[in-house]
Amino acid sequence: MALASTIRDFMRLEAAGGIVLVIAAVVALILANSPLVWLYDAFLSIPGAVQIGTFEIRKPLLLWLNDGWMAVFFFLVGLEIKREFADGELSNLKAAGLPIIGAIGGMVVPALIYALFNLGSGVDLRGWAIPTATDIAFALGVMSLLGSRVPASLKVLLTAIAIIDDLGAIVIIAAFYTYDLSLVSLGFAALALIGLVALNLAGVRQIVPYLLLGALLWVCVLKSGVHATLAGVATALAIPLKGFDEQGRLSDDQHDSPLRYLEHLLHPWVAFLVLPAFAFANAGVSFVGLGFGAFTDTVTLGIALGLLIGKPIGVFGAIQLAVMTGFGRMPEGVSARQLLGLAVLCGIGFTMSLFIGGLAFTTPEHAAQVRLGVLTGSVIAAVIGYALLAGRSAVQPPGANPGS
């Protein structure tokens, strides 16, 4: 009963967080297309600096959100990834096979679709990874709105796919969106990382030493040329899953586990503050001067169709192939239409897609194309995915053959 209550609370949180995310994006769009656009731009340009002696980090508010606050989001993602692989749905290789295959298909096909539209331009081709991402908060939020009409096994599958998708995004960012490396800063980052590993191996269960070294790691990575949010993931992976109970025995109970405690603590802050703030700062695309031709630009079209068509084909096709070849088994009580609805919801890229778009392109023209493509693809995917899951034929009758 406690586990069921926890799951219900978690899903309600995801739904509410998704709604706040939507509101933040809508407000940004309204401001960017109103006489108050100057206020919106001025707000995002507010300077902020941290200085110790001659060492200084100076950025506008937009970059503090994208480099700093999003490191907290990636820290939470890292905690979720470690928990799932250590003690969750992904800890069993057989159970993990289906979401892993689905997530890989959902990253490869959208990237190929984007590349087909942008093969002629080396600069535009840098955005190939934008439609590979899934926004877990949005996707789970839409699914959660359907309540009991969606089987719990489908929600678990979507969560697992989204977590693996996030892991893929982390690898992509580290491998393809790193520029102008500073070997000195990387050296200090390596020392901080070694310190985090040493704390874990020494059995340190207090959280503060990890957070202090994690903050140092973030500064070093920020100065190194590698994107600073990766420091959040690296710090999370060092956090111990098990803590000590009152009898001094190892325990992964939420009250004893440092990882579970941090995950529980950060979840509402990320869902209701970090992600909405990021959405507000990055979704404000101006439609002034944009005609129908803006939707047919190759970058915009590649992103929108990558999310809207590539994601469903990749996720649904890969999972069906895995089931047909015996590499996976359809989740209990899930129909083919429900699986298709899940695959379409994976096309809600929003937060992660906007984030990768900001790494891929730096010009205002590209920024507008990215935002337009991400918003168009994500919104249509949300509507179609909801419709597929809400339809009567999507409800699996009791005793029906799963996957029929």
Side-chain angles (χ1 to χ4, degrees):
M1 289 296 292
L3 177 61
S5 175
T6 301
I7 293 175
R8 282 196 300 271
D9 290 341
F10 177 78
M11 298 308 296
R12 279 199 294 267
L13 178 63
E14 290 294 348
I19 292 171
V20 175
L21 204 60
V22 171
I23 293 173
V26 170
V27 171
L29 283 170
I30 292 173
L31 288 175
N33 292 276
S34 75
L36 294 176
V37 63
W38 65 271
L39 183 60
Y40 177 71
D41 292 336
F43 175 73
L44 297 180
S45 301
I46 294 174
V50 175
Q51 185 171 357
I52 302 176
T54 58
F55 177 83
E56 181 184 56
I57 301 176
R58 182 177 297 275
K59 293 176 177 290
L61 179 60
L62 175 62
L63 292 184
W64 277 112
L65 290 172
N66 291 354
D67 293 342
W69 284 34
M70 284 300 283
V72 179
F73 165 69
F74 276 88
F75 179 70
L76 179 60
V77 168
L79 294 175
E80 292 174 342
I81 289 172
K82 179 171 182 176
R83 174 179 51 76
E84 285 296 326
F85 276 98
D87 193 35
E89 292 295 326
L90 303 178
S91 60
N92 182 295
L93 185 59
K94 186 175 181 180
L98 201 65
I100 289 175
I101 292 171
I104 292 173
M107 288 185 279
V108 171
V109 178
L112 290 175
I113 288 178
Y114 180 93
L116 286 174
F117 280 96
N118 293 278
L119 280 176
S121 171
V123 175
D124 292 348
L125 197 56
R126 287 171 55 184
W128 64 269
I130 298 171
T132 65
T134 294
D135 189 312
I136 186 172
F138 253 142
L140 280 174
V142 172
M143 185 176 281
S144 298
L145 294 175
L146 294 161
S148 60
R149 284 180 286 179
V150 176
S153 57
L154 196 70
K155 297 174 183 177
V156 170
L157 179 60
L158 176 60
T159 302
I161 290 174
I163 287 174
I164 297 167
D165 192 284
D166 283 343
L167 180 59
I170 291 165
V171 173
I172 288 171
I173 291 169
F176 298 100
Y177 296 106
T178 295
Y179 313 103
D180 300 325
L181 292 179
S182 166
L183 295 181
V184 174
S185 296
L186 278 177
F188 282 112
L191 291 176
L193 192 57
I194 291 171
L196 286 168
V197 174
L199 287 175
N200 186 286
L201 294 178
V204 175
R205 296 297 187 270
Q206 290 80 13
I207 294 172
V208 173
Y210 290 96
L211 297 184
L212 290 176
L213 270 179
L216 176 61
L217 178 63
W218 178 82
V219 172
C220 295
V221 173
L222 178 69
K223 292 293 186 178
S224 73
V226 178
H227 201 273
T229 52
L230 297 179
V233 179
T235 304
L237 296 179
I239 302 293
L241 176 62
K242 295 182 181 293
F244 293 108
D245 61 16
E246 294 179 354
Q247 285 74 42
R249 297 170 299 188
L250 283 175
S251 167
D252 62 354
D253 182 82
Q254 180 175 303
H255 299 290
D256 305 317
S257 164
L259 186 148
R260 293 182 187 274
Y261 170 77
L262 281 172
E263 191 177 355
H264 179 74
L265 177 69
L266 289 175
H267 218 292
W269 289 100
V270 169
F272 294 109
L273 180 60
V274 173
L275 291 181
F278 175 85
F280 177 78
N282 290 272
V285 57
S286 174
F287 297 121
V288 176
L290 290 181
F292 180 76
F295 290 90
T296 60
D297 178 88
T298 55
V299 171
T300 302
L301 207 55
I303 294 171
L305 294 182
L307 291 171
L308 190 56
I309 298 177
K311 273 289 186 180
I313 291 176
V315 174
F316 185 81
I319 289 178
Q320 289 287 21
L321 183 62
V323 171
M324 289 170 56
T325 56
F327 282 100
R329 187 176 63 182
M330 189 75 78
E332 184 178 352
V334 174
S335 68
R337 175 167 173 163
Q338 287 174 324
L339 181 62
L340 180 59
L342 174 148
V344 173
L345 287 184
C346 287
I348 304 175
F350 200 68
T351 304
M352 287 299 290
S353 291
L354 288 174
F355 185 78
I356 294 175
L359 299 180
F361 301 119
T362 57
T363 66
E365 293 78 14
H366 277 118
Q369 292 164 358
V370 168
R371 292 172 182 175
L372 191 60
V374 170
L375 290 173
T376 302
S378 297
V379 169
I380 297 176
V383 172
I384 295 176
Y386 182 91
L388 284 169
L389 292 173
R392 287 191 176 187
S393 59
V395 179
Q396 187 81 354
N401 181 32
S404 61

